[in-house]
Amino acid sequence: MTMHGVFVTIEGIEGAGKSTAVSCVAEWFTEHGYDVLCSREPGGTPVAEDIRRILLTSTEEELAEPAELLLMFAARAQHVARGIRPALEAGRVVVCDRFTDSTRAYQGAGRGIDSGVIESLAAYAEQGVRPDLTLLLDLPVEIGMARASARRGTSSKDRFEREAHAFFERIRAGFLRIAAADTARICLVDASAPIERVQAQIRAILDDRFETAR
Ligand code: Z5A
């Protein structure tokens, strides 16, 4: 079936400002007359949000790496089938906080899982649903961590936030490699700038990509 909507994903390390960027992108499309669905991964549907709880907060036993990868894709398969694809088929804009590039960066570059395994699971879970545009919010790891910890306050860290600094450096480098290999889809945003400047960069990209297409 043909899909008429627009699928935009937001990527980056923690504290990059992805949630803030999702609102900015949603606002731009709403102002331009589109019907927008904001979502996130892992999660986005009731079943996928159940899987998210296991992935982020499970502490009863250590999650094995293959299990973490398969749970990410189980959540994604459910989100695509029950959330993203129906919205795109209805002509809506879907703005998603993280998608498969996060798996490539976290489970691939971060944990060292083979890219062949990741790409074959991606093809199976996505069933042809691919982002039209991805905004990669890039910034130094220290700045992202400082922002995330300021926002977190006294609440406890999730499974990923407890990882060492080097893990996040591998992920940032992984994201940059992914972006360099797919410049047609992925636009880099300097996320170390103040919020207003980040939002101006995002709006300029959307003006450039979608205003002339209307
Ligand atoms: N994960 C994975 O391993 N594999 C996968 O396939 C997927 C995910 C899909 C959950 O993701 C974890 O799952 C994630 C990767 C893994 N773990 N980590 N790390 P998540 O997206 O829910 O969690 P997160 O990355 O930790 O999100 P976050 O900390 O909420 O980051 P954010 O959304 O990018 O940031 P924010 O909430 O928009 O901003 C953070 C704070 O900074 C906030 O107070 C803002 O007001 C402030 N902020 C935002 N922009 C600015 C600027 N420009 N200047 C100053 N301050 C700013």
Side-chain angles (χ1 to χ4, degrees), residues 7-12 16-31 36-41 79 93-99 133-137 189 195 198-199 202-203 206:
F7 185 24
V8 180
T9 59
I10 315 291
E11 297 283 4
K18 295 180 305 300
S19 320
T20 320
V22 166
S23 311
C24 175
V25 172
E27 205 176 283
W28 188 95
F29 277 104
T30 305
E31 281 167 16
V36 180
L37 171 71
C38 293
S39 199
R40 68 170 180 183
E41 289 213 347
H79 188 208
V93 171
V94 178
V95 186
C96 193
D97 186 336
R98 298 191 182 281
F99 196 61
L133 170 69
T134 297
L135 301 176
L136 172 57
L137 306 188
V189 172
I195 291 187
V198 173
Q199 293 185 337
I202 292 173
R203 296 178 76 84
L206 297 174

Side-chain angles (χ1 to χ4, degrees), residues 135-158:
L135 301 176
L136 172 57
L137 306 188
D138 180 58
L139 80 177
V141 170
E142 305 74 49
I143 302 180
M145 284 181 145
R147 284 185 193 167
S149 98
R151 196 210 36 202
R152 194 184 311 117
T154 52
S155 58
S156 56
K157 293 181 171 184
D158 69 32

Side-chain angles (χ1 to χ4, degrees), residues 76-207:
R76 180 159 306 128
Q78 188 67 14
H79 188 208
V80 166
R82 300 287 175 260
I84 299 172
R85 178 186 286 280
L88 294 175
E89 285 174 353
R92 303 179 74 187
V93 171
V94 178
V95 186
C96 193
D97 186 336
R98 298 191 182 281
F99 196 61
T100 305
D101 293 321
S102 278
T103 315
R104 296 182 175 110
Y106 280 77
Q107 281 66 48
R111 303 247 192 256
I113 296 177
D114 179 69
S115 66
V117 173
I118 292 177
E119 294 310 324
S120 61
L121 288 170
Y124 189 49
E126 292 173 356
Q127 297 284 313
V129 172
R130 303 254 156 74
D132 297 293
L133 170 69
T134 297
L135 301 176
L136 172 57
L137 306 188
D138 180 58
L139 80 177
V141 170
E142 305 74 49
I143 302 180
M145 284 181 145
R147 284 185 193 167
S149 98
R151 196 210 36 202
R152 194 184 311 117
T154 52
S155 58
S156 56
K157 293 181 171 184
D158 69 32
R159 269 186 62 247
F160 289 96
E161 289 164 344
R162 289 194 288 270
E163 292 286 344
H165 185 97
F167 177 69
F168 294 103
E169 290 290 0
R170 288 199 297 280
I171 289 162
R172 182 188 184 199
F175 271 131
L176 290 171
R177 278 196 304 275
I178 295 163
D182 193 353
T183 51
R185 170 174 67 88
I186 306 177
C187 290
L188 215 59
V189 172
D190 172 13
S192 66
I195 291 187
E196 314 74 60
R197 290 233 323 269
V198 173
Q199 293 185 337
Q201 292 176 67
I202 292 173
R203 296 178 76 84
I205 292 168
L206 297 174
D207 286 346

